[in-house]
Amino acid sequence: AQKVTQAQTEISVVEKEDVTLDCVYETRDTTYYLFWYKQPPSGELVFLIRRNSFDEQNEISGRYSWNFQKSTSSFNFTITASQVVDSAVYFCALKGNNNNDMRFGAGTRLTVKP
Amino acid sequence: EADIYQTPRYLVIGTGKKITLECSQTMGHDKMYWYQQDPGMELHLIHYSYGVNSTEKGDLSSESTVSRIRTEHFPLTLESARPSHTSQYLCASSEYGNMNTEAFFGQGTRLTVV
């Protein structure tokens, strides 16, 4: 069975603070992919990053960084120097070997206040 | 920018009406999905398709039905809408057979049944 847990339902920070969104996953597959999506108030899901299970290198893209730790089954997402435009719901997702579907976490609503 | 389109964006309809939510993609993706999402909540997979003439039910039971007569088109139909069907419906597509690919999402249809 595959499962994605985002324990933080809502996070509120003040602009310029750093914030980390947690994602913990469960899977029996040896090969799998992890994803982060952003859902702004307009409703569409915007793809942010993809990481495969064999690549544990952390990645940085501008103010965004991702920390993948296979030992703890976690794929956390950090926003540095947050901005009001970062306010959205962020979803972590997992796709396993069966390729049937992408399993999403419950999402974390991030509010960045000016 | 993803080439996947959903219409209508917003729909308010009376109980008992038949409705069809449209979803089209121009990326030639074989795999398509429908997710149901209550505001600010997690995404639930209700239908997916591997390609033309393929339709499968997802994790969440739904009274809706889907069809896949053409690769680019994956409409969702509710024969008799009820207030419990009020939700956001998100369509997505991805390449099939390639795990190393994200799903691309449409902008969603916000359905309200009164």
Side-chain angles (χ1 to χ4, degrees), chain A residues 31-33 35 37 39-47 50 52 89 91 95-107 109, chain B residues 9-10 31 33 35 37 39-43 45 48 50 59 88 90 94-107 110:
Chain A
T31 302
Y32 52 89
Y33 285 80
F35 305 80
Y37 283 84
Q39 186 177 41
S42 52
E44 75 277 20
L45 267 78
V46 178
F47 166 73
R50 171 183 63 242
N52 76 55
V89 181
F91 290 93
K95 183 193 284 190
N97 276 344
N98 62 17
N99 203 29
N100 281 345
D101 61 63
M102 187 175 288
R103 182 81 55 175
F104 284 84
R109 179 179 299 279
Chain B
R9 284 293 312 277
Y10 303 92
K31 201 115 185 258
Y33 316 77
Y35 289 88
Q37 182 190 29
M41 303 294 285
E42 60 192 292
L43 283 77
L45 181 69
Y48 60 97
Y50 291 106
D59 298 329
Q88 169 157 263
L90 288 160
S94 67
E95 292 180 19
Y96 176 53
N98 181 3
M99 284 176 58
N100 185 22
T101 180
E102 66 273 21
F104 295 88
F105 282 82
Q107 290 189 299
R110 291 185 192 266

